[in-house]
Amino acid sequence: MSHASDLSRPGAAGAAAPITTNSGHRGLDLEEPLIFEQDAPGRCGVDLPEPPELAGRLGGLERQAPIGLPGLTEPQVVRHFVRLSRNNFAIDAGLYPLGSCTMKHNPRLNEKLARLPGFADLHPLQPAETVPGALQLIDELAQWLIALTGMPAVAMSPAAGAHGELCGLMCIRAALEAAGDAREVVLVPESAHGTNPATAAVCGYRIEEIPADGRGRVDLAALTERLDPTVAAIMLTNPNTCGLFETDIVEIAEAVHQAGAYFYCDGANFNAIVGRVRPGDLGIDCMHLNLHKTFSTPHGGGGPGSGPVVLSAALAPFAPLPMLVRGPDGPRLAEHATEADGTAASFGRMKAFHGQMGMFVRALAYILSHGGDGLRQAAEDAVLNANYVLAELQDQMSLSFPGPCMHEVLFDDGFLKDTGVSTLDFAKAMIDEGFHPMTMYFPLVVHGAMLIEPTESESKASIDQFIASLRHLVERAKAGDAALFAGAPYLAPRRRLDETQAARKPVLRWTPPAEEAAAE
Ligand SMILES: *Cc1c(COP(=O)(O)O)cnc(C)c1O
């Protein structure tokens, strides 16, 4: 496999001889062995006094052998992790148009508030009576989520979107079981995010796919035909994963309810409609919210997620414990199933503690700093930015479902036909242009999907730069410059992996080029 220090671009205009360095470094982009390979036994970052005699204090449970931590100095450790962080692309480094994931800016004000000692130093095992301020904050966030979605209740404990789906389907199953109604099927549109069928399967349901129509929406006729007393629920994303609003959603909700089934809405794309549409008005029964998408809390390695689930009055009694309840003395955590708290029918506990406090603080800070009008503007700007990308690229790239989009635009690979360039090649070439690729090959309803979500937090200047790079790449692909794509990325710290080899024979060690040459 070629090294990161190989800067040649075979076939590109004016290709030079490969530039290799003796060190393996590329400019100030530094290579190094794994941290365990840097181990020097006995080396340590701090001078610790000899430990006192502990023999016997643990009753024979003392560790018998070293635990295998590498011996390193403090500067080695700091450099190692700083170098790794420099190889890691993040929203703080540049435009990150990963469709469906909503990689928007994480405002620093939110970070500052989440680090206030009164929130940051809470211990999850602290008695709930000692943290009334935290409960107040969770309650205030809950009231915002209730107001924004138009739903009567919210379970705050789920830890992410997929966990929220699990929470919602467990509520649905509990409600059906309480009514003595054993239904076995969950309907999922073919464009669904993979977590939807996975969640339904984990809950013991059989999954059946509902096809999309020619407009990239759920085929209403196919859906209504399939609805019968075996169907427990439908799981639908709105706006859907093609970046399109499900225009038949009210009819869908009515048909689902007429069949005695529940309507789970996947709310991962709520950022497109906040302040414009209240999902509760559309007839949904439950929906998760990804605080780390819609409300800007960090994700993708930047922090834990949080997936509160809003619930209809029919499903709220089955919500998980602990549940925040409002009493005469303010909000309180109901830890147990009791009639008095309205938690007697709860399906139980799905998480050790009550939610992700740091994410609650960040999300509420985001909501309060925007206000209702600012949240609506964020949604409108996200839709505007995606439609700007669509308008500027639709003459060069191809759309399976023409027409305006919501907060993300879905291209297919039709424009790459006969160029020898695949969606994967195109995405890798974007890295050389300094852009994280869009979401590729998802959703599955279009061939070679490229799903672009610019988010509202990108400026026009940065989106223009992005559009210019994409137009350039499309032109190069159509001009037959296949070599520009075949080996891309050429300029990233790591080149393209041979995915088969990487899975079968992973190379987990780094060899300096000089040693590699000697071995060959
Ligand atoms: C992100 C996403 C999920 C899953 O959410 P996580 O927070 O990553 O668990 C589910 N559905 C859709 C459409 C998504 O975009």
Side-chain angles (χ1 to χ4, degrees):
M1 204 178 69
S2 60
H3 247 287
S5 53
D6 173 359
L7 289 184
S8 71
R9 272 183 171 209
I19 301 170
T20 52
T21 59
N22 181 62
S23 58
H25 301 325
R26 290 163 30 117
L28 299 180
D29 217 355
L30 307 183
E31 287 288 349
E32 65 177 354
L34 300 182
I35 201 160
F36 284 93
E37 294 168 336
Q38 297 180 42
D39 171 36
R43 194 184 278 165
C44 188
V46 284
D47 288 330
L48 296 171
E50 279 298 310
E53 187 49 58
L54 291 174
R57 275 183 51 191
L58 290 174
L61 293 173
E62 299 85 356
R63 221 171 242 129
Q64 300 302 314
I67 58 172
L69 289 177
L72 301 158
T73 65
E74 183 173 307
Q76 270 183 305
V77 174
V78 170
R79 284 183 175 168
H80 176 72
F81 286 104
V82 169
R83 287 168 181 173
L84 280 185
S85 74
R86 284 174 44 145
N87 283 346
N88 184 29
F89 192 79
I91 186 64
D92 290 347
L95 194 149
Y96 203 151
L98 203 57
S100 210
C101 296
T102 313
M103 307 304 289
K104 64 163 83 173
H105 174 61
N106 314 129
R108 289 307 180 269
L109 174 65
N110 307 352
E111 297 303 316
K112 192 170 169 170
L113 296 183
R115 283 165 178 70
L116 290 176
F119 296 126
D121 296 345
L122 292 180
H123 194 281
L125 288 174
Q126 234 172 297
E129 311 84 78
T130 64
V131 293
L135 296 182
Q136 190 87 41
L137 183 141
I138 300 172
D139 184 56
E140 190 163 342
L141 176 61
Q143 295 312 312
W144 269 97
L145 301 181
I146 283 171
L148 290 169
T149 56
M151 297 288 283
V154 60
M156 297 297 287
S157 63
H163 205 218
E165 292 173 33
L166 185 64
C167 171
L169 276 208
M170 287 178 81
C171 287
I172 290 172
R173 194 175 64 182
L176 286 169
E177 279 173 2
D181 193 353
R183 295 175 176 235
E184 59 219 39
V185 176
V186 167
L187 302 180
V188 175
E190 55 177 336
S191 64
H193 193 270
T195 50
N196 294 182
T199 298
V202 165
C203 284
Y205 288 109
R206 204 169 73 235
I207 294 114
E208 286 186 28
E209 270 195 8
I210 298 295
D213 64 14
R215 299 158 52 244
R217 272 86 172 182
V218 168
D219 186 330
L220 182 60
L223 171 67
T224 38
E225 194 170 320
R226 178 58 193 87
L227 284 169
D228 68 14
T230 63
V231 176
I234 180 171
M235 298 182 85
L236 190 81
T237 311
N238 193 30
N240 68 23
T241 58
C242 301
L244 302 170
F245 195 85
E246 289 285 353
T247 41
D248 291 332
I249 188 160
V250 172
E251 289 80 358
I252 291 173
E254 278 166 7
V256 166
H257 290 150
Q258 242 161 41
Y262 286 93
F263 186 169
Y264 186 94
C265 185
D266 179 329
N269 294 336
F270 188 48
N271 61 308
I273 55 173
V274 178
R276 295 290 306 231
V277 177
R278 299 193 316 162
D281 298 336
L282 304 175
I284 68 158
D285 297 301
C286 55
M287 179 175 98
H288 74 258
L289 297 159
N290 307 62
L291 299 188
H292 47 289
K293 293 179 180 171
T294 302
F295 300 108
S296 88
T297 72
H299 65 137
S306 182
V309 177
V310 289
L311 297 162
S312 66
L315 291 179
F318 304 98
L321 295 167
M323 186 74 184
L324 200 68
V325 294
R326 301 184 112 184
D329 307 323
R332 195 166 53 72
L333 269 193
E335 299 271 0
H336 305 285
T338 66
E339 292 292 344
D341 285 334
T343 52
S346 167
F347 71 69
R349 193 174 270 267
M350 66 184 308
K351 193 170 182 301
F353 304 111
H354 186 255
Q356 315 278 39
M357 190 62 203
M359 295 297 121
F360 294 157
V361 180
R362 288 174 177 87
L364 185 62
Y366 181 81
I367 288 172
L368 292 179
S369 59
H370 280 67
D373 56 339
L375 291 175
R376 175 208 284 247
Q377 166 122 35
E380 290 172 349
D381 289 351
V383 173
L384 181 66
N385 281 354
N387 278 284
Y388 181 56
V389 172
L390 165 68
E392 292 293 308
L393 292 174
Q394 64 181 347
D395 64 321
Q396 287 282 350
M397 295 172 71
S398 43
L399 296 156
S400 294
F401 311 116
C405 60
M406 295 295 291
H407 63 304
E408 53 195 355
V409 49
L410 176 61
F411 293 105
D412 60 33
D413 64 359
F415 73 99
L416 293 173
K417 193 164 180 295
D418 300 329
T419 60
V421 175
S422 67
T423 289
L424 180 71
D425 298 333
F426 192 85
K428 297 292 185 194
M430 285 170 65
I431 297 175
D432 283 338
E433 286 286 332
F435 293 104
H436 192 286
M438 69 292 262
T439 292
M440 300 179 295
Y441 301 110
F442 173 81
L444 304 175
V445 280
V446 311
H447 198 270
M450 297 176 215
L451 185 62
I452 299 176
E453 179 175 8
T455 81
E456 75 281 3
S457 59
E458 288 305 322
S459 66
K460 177 164 182 298
S462 100
I463 297 179
D464 279 337
Q465 229 180 19
F466 174 71
I467 289 166
S469 280
L470 258 62
R471 289 190 74 87
H472 166 74
L473 291 176
V474 175
E475 273 163 29
R476 297 314 308 151
K478 289 181 178 172
D481 190 356
L484 183 67
F485 298 91
Y490 295 100
L491 302 175
R494 283 291 175 277
R495 299 288 300 277
R496 194 185 311 196
L497 298 180
D498 176 333
E499 289 177 17
T500 314
Q501 284 284 349
R504 300 238 167 103
K505 288 191 197 163
V507 179
L508 300 176
R509 277 171 197 284
W510 179 76
T511 319
E515 281 178 34
E516 196 173 51
E520 271 169 12

